[in-house]
């Protein structure tokens, strides 16, 4: 997965915040971050001017890792089912590797820094919009079941992403990702049989 031009020290800080976010009762402070990575608060401030800047970088990291598969899928010549399956599995891989960021995607800890709630809302809107674009293209290509509304199908797809984030954030039991994908693909995508 991509990391947008981060120095090793910056990445270490972001990983520490992502780990701290796994505990919903943990208040994220520069002191808590510095303790987590065994450095002084001054060392944190050499990389980021404020906690707000750390959270901005964290959301940028999430955007890079969640929007990149969507952008790539829109450019590929695969059919809609293949495009969405690649995106779905990329999202799940990212969320499984970052349970704290799954919480952030769901809006938890969005009050940790000013403007975070709006940034998370915007990220979610971008994801949904790009999924809808893939499905609208799929409709035009005849890749959707007859009578399927691309916006409704995008909403269902996004519901699976949110469900995956909830599974990671709260350690919930789940169907296997492949089972979830097959149920979606069979219901929404034309000429698609469950594997």
């Amino acid at each position: 997965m991509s990391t947008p031009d981060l120095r090793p020290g910056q990445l270490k800080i972001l990983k520490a915040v992502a780990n701290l976010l796994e505990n919903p009762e943990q208040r994220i402070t520069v002191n808590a971050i510095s303790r987590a990575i065994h450095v002084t608060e001054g060392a944190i401030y050499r990389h980021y001017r404020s906690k707000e800047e750390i959270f901005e970088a964290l959301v940028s990291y999430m955007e890079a890792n969640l929007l990149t598969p969507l952008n790539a899928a829109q450019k590929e010549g695969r059919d809609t089912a293949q495009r969405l399956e690649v995106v779905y599995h990329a999202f799940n891989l990212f969320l499984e590797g970052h349970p704290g960021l799954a919480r952030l995607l769901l809006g938890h800890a969005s009050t940790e820094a000013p403007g975070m709630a709006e940034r998370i809302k915007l990220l979610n809107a971008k994801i949904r919009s790009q999924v809808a674009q893939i499905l609208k293209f799929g409709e035009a290509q005849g890749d959707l079941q007859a009578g399927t509304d691309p916006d409704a199908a995008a909403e269902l797809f996004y519901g699976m992403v949110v469900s995956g984030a909830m599974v990671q954030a709260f350690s919930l039991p789940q169907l296997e990702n492949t089972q979830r994908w097959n149920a979606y693909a069979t219901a929404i995508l034309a000429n698609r049989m469950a594997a």
Side-chain angles (χ1 to χ4, degrees):
M1 288 289 163
S2 69
T3 54
D5 300 326
L6 294 172
R7 295 187 306 268
Q10 291 174 312
L11 189 56
K12 188 175 183 179
I13 291 167
L14 296 185
K15 285 181 180 180
V17 174
N19 289 336
L20 290 169
L21 284 169
E22 290 180 32
N23 178 355
E25 296 178 15
Q26 172 72 49
R27 179 92 172 121
I28 310 299
T29 63
V30 173
N31 183 272
I33 299 166
S34 68
R35 284 192 323 259
I37 56 176
H38 310 290
V39 299
T40 65
E41 288 184 41
I44 303 290
Y45 287 119
R46 279 195 289 278
H47 293 285
Y48 295 103
R49 292 184 298 251
S50 65
K51 182 174 93 166
E52 290 78 16
E53 192 172 279
I54 293 169
F55 271 90
E56 285 292 320
L58 199 56
V59 173
S60 293
Y61 175 79
M62 289 173 63
E63 286 177 343
N65 283 281
L66 294 172
L67 297 179
T68 297
L70 279 165
N71 292 332
Q74 289 186 23
K75 295 176 184 172
E76 292 182 13
R78 300 177 183 176
D79 68 22
T80 304
Q82 290 173 324
R83 288 178 180 180
L84 287 175
E85 188 171 14
V86 166
V87 169
Y88 177 70
H89 289 299
F91 281 5
N92 279 300
L93 186 64
F94 179 76
L95 295 170
E96 286 170 5
H98 302 84
L101 298 185
R103 282 184 183 276
L104 192 56
L105 183 68
L106 294 170
H108 296 264
S110 61
T111 58
E112 286 288 345
M116 280 303 300
E118 195 57 37
R119 284 285 308 270
I120 295 301
K121 182 179 170 183
L122 183 59
L123 173 58
N124 280 289
K126 285 178 184 178
I127 293 169
R128 289 166 79 161
S129 174
Q130 288 194 27
V131 168
Q133 285 300 107
I134 291 171
L135 284 156
K136 286 175 183 175
F137 178 78
E139 179 186 42
Q141 299 299 311
D143 290 343
L144 304 186
Q145 294 282 1
T148 299
D149 175 34
D151 289 318
E155 192 68 25
L156 289 172
F157 183 91
Y158 192 71
M160 288 194 316
V161 171
V162 170
S163 172
M166 289 182 69
V167 164
Q168 297 309 316
F170 302 110
S171 300
L172 300 173
Q174 69 169 349
L175 288 174
E176 288 191 26
N177 290 332
T178 303
Q179 289 175 297
R180 256 200 241 147
W181 168 254
N182 284 336
Y184 176 83
T186 301
I188 301 299
L189 302 166
N191 304 318
R192 174 75 179 177
M193 299 296 284

